[in-house]
């Protein structure tokens, strides 16, 4: 096994903020950020989090927070809702919400801790459906390069509304349930899950339960920012169960994979991990 590069911890929080469709700000390094925008004020300190304060009298503008591969960022919205964005994710949201509804859209993965507001439901739009809540905690995985989206409820209650608009197909989740949607279809399924598997990234861990090797590699590669190639397709049938610290680095990741009793050999060259049959 050969390794040629390491991921620098100081780069973990690099991100970009785009305000009003044009103004772009790099959110890395030690520089603070203080912006007055239509609809409110934005502060960014040294804790790698954006904080919004609303100006009820001002016209709002749309914001887009982009987190690249290998990154992580969080934002405190003006209503008190906190959103944690995982690697390779985008969140679009207003500088201040309307009086009737709080709507954001997501591509990628995020954990939402929604502030309760009985008069204004909070809506997360993803490809194929919307998630509507009043106040709760849930995780959404909706990457553009994956064929399924997952919404996992930790606390409270959420309502899943398919984009087809048919009310009879709305789904209400209770804590510990997950809805899976096959993108590009009207197929939704609900199951009870171990929520830790889908929220462990918040605690800087990966937790897998009988996860196909290709899916496990897709998840960890976003954090460690590498590409991979499984050279023998028969290896994709193997599953992985275990827990990996996100702070362990590539050497630790490779050691864990070697100890998983799969017939694999790993080669890492110039940012590409080759998974061969051993």
């Amino acid at each position: 096994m050969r390794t040629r590069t390491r991921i620098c911890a100081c780069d973990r929080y690099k991100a970009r903020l785009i305000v009003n469709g044009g103004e772009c700000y790099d959110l890395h390094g030690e520089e603070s950020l203080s912006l007055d925008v239509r609809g409110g004020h934005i502060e960014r300190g040294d804790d790698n989090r954006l904080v919004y304060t609303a100006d009820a009298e001002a016209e709002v503008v749309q914001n887009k927070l982009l987190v690249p591969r290998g990154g992580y960022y969080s934002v405190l919205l003006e209503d008190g809702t906190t959103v944690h964005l995982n690697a390779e994710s985008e969140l679009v949201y207003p500088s201040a919400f309307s009086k009737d509804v709080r709507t954001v859209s997501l591509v990628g993965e995020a954990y939402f801790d929604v502030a309760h507001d009985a008069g204004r439901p909070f809506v997360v739009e993803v490809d194929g459906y919307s998630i509507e809540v009043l106040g709760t905690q849930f995780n959404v995985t909706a990457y553009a390069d994956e064929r399924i989206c997952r919404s996992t409820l930790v606390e409270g209650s959420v309502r899943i509304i398919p984009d087809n608009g048919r009310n009879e197909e709305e789904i209400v989740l209770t804590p510990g349930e997950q809805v899976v949607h096959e993108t590009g279809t009207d197929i939704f399924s609900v199951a009870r899950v171990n929520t830790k598997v889908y929220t462990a990234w918040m605690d800087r861990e990966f937790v897998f339960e009988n996860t196909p090797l290709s899916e496990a590699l897709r998840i960890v590669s976003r954090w460690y920012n590498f590409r991979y190639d499984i050279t023998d397709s028969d290896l994709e049938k193997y599953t992985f169960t275990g827990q990996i610290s996100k702070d362990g680095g590539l050497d630790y990741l490779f050691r864990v994979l070697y100890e998983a009793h799969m017939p694999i050999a790993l080669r890492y060259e110039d940012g590409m991990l080759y998974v061969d049959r051993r």
Side-chain angles (χ1 to χ4, degrees):
M1 178 176 62
R2 292 174 288 175
T3 60
R4 296 188 177 183
T5 185
R6 290 183 179 273
I7 304 297
C8 177
C10 64
D11 291 333
R12 286 294 186 202
Y13 304 101
K14 58 187 179 181
R16 287 184 298 145
L17 172 67
I18 299 176
V19 177
N20 201 23
E23 303 159 86
C24 183
Y25 302 89
D26 290 326
L27 303 176
H28 56 83
E30 298 181 355
E31 300 86 357
S32 62
L33 178 70
S34 181
L35 293 174
D36 287 312
V37 297
R38 295 204 309 273
H41 182 77
I42 309 171
E43 287 282 347
R44 183 255 182 183
D46 58 1
D47 58 351
N48 301 297
R49 182 175 73 154
L50 293 177
V51 177
Y52 282 74
T53 305
D55 180 355
E57 303 301 320
E59 179 187 359
V60 302
V61 295
Q62 287 295 105
N63 300 256
K64 180 185 286 188
L65 180 58
L66 302 98
V67 180
R69 293 174 68 88
Y72 166 88
Y73 221 83
S74 66
V75 55
L76 177 62
L77 302 177
E78 60 87 7
D79 68 326
T81 293
T82 298
V83 184
H84 303 272
L85 282 174
N86 204 352
E88 201 173 20
S89 300
E90 298 180 9
L91 183 73
V92 177
Y93 54 95
S95 53
F97 291 113
S98 71
K99 297 179 180 179
D100 301 318
V101 67
R102 300 169 288 168
T103 302
V104 304
S105 63
L106 171 71
V107 176
E109 183 168 30
Y111 185 90
F112 292 85
D113 187 350
V114 178
H116 182 79
D117 187 337
R120 291 191 301 172
F122 192 96
V123 177
V124 181
E125 296 177 342
V126 298
D127 184 17
Y129 64 99
S130 298
I131 307 156
E132 182 177 305
V133 303
L134 295 178
T136 188
Q137 296 183 34
F138 57 99
N139 193 80
V140 181
T141 307
Y143 282 103
D145 61 349
E146 295 189 8
R147 65 178 183 82
I148 60 173
C149 299
R150 294 185 176 95
S151 298
T152 308
L153 183 61
V154 178
E155 293 182 8
S157 178
V158 303
R159 188 161 61 110
I160 306 299
I161 307 171
D163 281 354
N164 59 30
R166 294 194 289 252
N167 291 335
E168 67 271 14
E169 294 186 2
E170 293 179 0
I171 301 167
V172 177
L173 297 184
T174 59
E177 287 187 329
Q178 178 187 85
V179 64
V180 174
H181 172 236
E182 296 185 26
T183 56
T185 75
D186 291 334
I187 300 174
F188 291 81
S189 60
V190 178
R192 296 203 66 81
V193 297
N194 175 7
T195 60
K196 179 68 173 177
V197 173
Y198 303 96
T199 63
W201 66 271
M202 289 281 298
D203 298 321
R204 306 182 69 82
E205 293 178 338
F206 300 106
V207 175
F208 300 106
E209 285 187 353
N210 295 316
T211 304
L213 176 61
S214 58
E215 181 178 342
L217 287 174
R218 186 168 63 245
I219 291 170
V220 297
S221 69
R222 289 194 178 103
W223 178 252
Y224 292 116
N225 193 18
F226 65 82
R227 295 167 295 138
Y228 64 91
D229 179 20
I230 301 176
T231 60
D232 185 336
S233 60
D234 285 344
L235 292 174
E236 297 186 12
K237 69 182 181 181
Y238 288 90
T239 61
F240 178 71
T241 296
Q243 185 169 317
I244 302 174
S245 170
K246 295 176 75 171
D247 297 325
L250 288 176
D251 290 336
Y252 174 70
L253 169 66
F254 296 159
R255 186 169 69 250
V256 170
L257 290 175
Y258 265 117
E259 294 172 353
H261 306 295
M262 292 182 286
I264 61 174
L266 306 177
R267 294 181 292 119
Y268 185 71
E269 300 176 356
D270 300 324
M272 173 70 80
L273 176 65
Y274 297 93
V275 183
D276 305 316
R277 177 172 291 275
R278 185 169 55 193

